[in-house]
Amino acid sequence: MKFAKTLLGGALAVAGLTVMLGQDAQAQARLRTETCQSRYDRYQYCPTDTRGGVRIYRQLSDSPCIRDQTWGYDRGGIWVDRGCRAEFAIGHHHHDDYEGGGGYYGNRRFVCDARGPGYRYCRADTYGGVRLIQQLSKTPCRLNDTWGYDRGGVWVDRGCRAEFETRR
């Protein structure tokens, strides 16, 4: 009797795994990707249907691919710049994503850089709040001193360079 229960349990586990693997294969088969490459650090536009959103599926370059800075998209296609090369997933995305924003749901991360001692304003939807993820400059980034935000975006000043996250 124990042997039959063990055998039946093992068969059910294998069947469950097979169903899960089959569902994963189906999901990957539905995944539509588009490769877009900035060659020689130049702007490149790749026409494609972007309904449902776009996210980085696999980065191919050593140069950073940062949403709204070195890559982005509109209704007609995907653009890349400054050496960003990536394979982009196109379609419906319903989970938090590293480069989140327009077209799908979740948080959005981006880098805002003062570029030297000057002030810079990075447009972003800050309705859900902003947090500093990682300081990237040697110059300190202090809230309401060298960085801050308002309804329209994040500002940095006096050498602050950091990765920020907005929440939805």
Side-chain angles (χ1 to χ4, degrees), residues 53-153:
V54 175
R55 68 177 171 90
I56 291 181
Y57 180 69
R58 180 175 47 187
Q59 184 170 324
L60 305 171
S61 62
D62 291 330
S63 298
C65 291
I66 301 167
R67 170 74 195 251
D68 294 332
Q69 291 186 26
T70 58
W71 80 273
Y73 70 97
D74 59 25
R75 288 183 181 190
I78 301 167
W79 61 266
V80 291
D81 200 5
R82 292 182 266 165
C84 171
R85 290 183 296 125
E87 188 175 355
F88 297 91
I90 302 166
H92 299 283
H93 308 291
H94 299 287
H95 58 278
D96 285 357
D97 191 273
Y98 180 75
E99 298 289 356
Y104 48 91
Y105 310 100
N107 299 338
R108 175 173 176 246
R109 288 189 184 186
F110 59 95
V111 173
C112 195
D113 183 351
R115 297 184 187 189
Y119 171 91
R120 176 141 189 235
Y121 190 77
C122 300
R123 297 189 58 76
D125 177 3
T126 61
Y127 180 75
V130 176
R131 72 180 178 130
L132 189 148
I133 299 293
Q134 179 180 8
Q135 180 175 309
L136 303 171
S137 60
K138 291 180 182 175
T139 304
C141 295
R142 291 183 298 268
L143 181 61
N144 298 324
D145 180 28
T146 55
W147 80 273
Y149 67 96
D150 59 24
R151 294 289 240 171

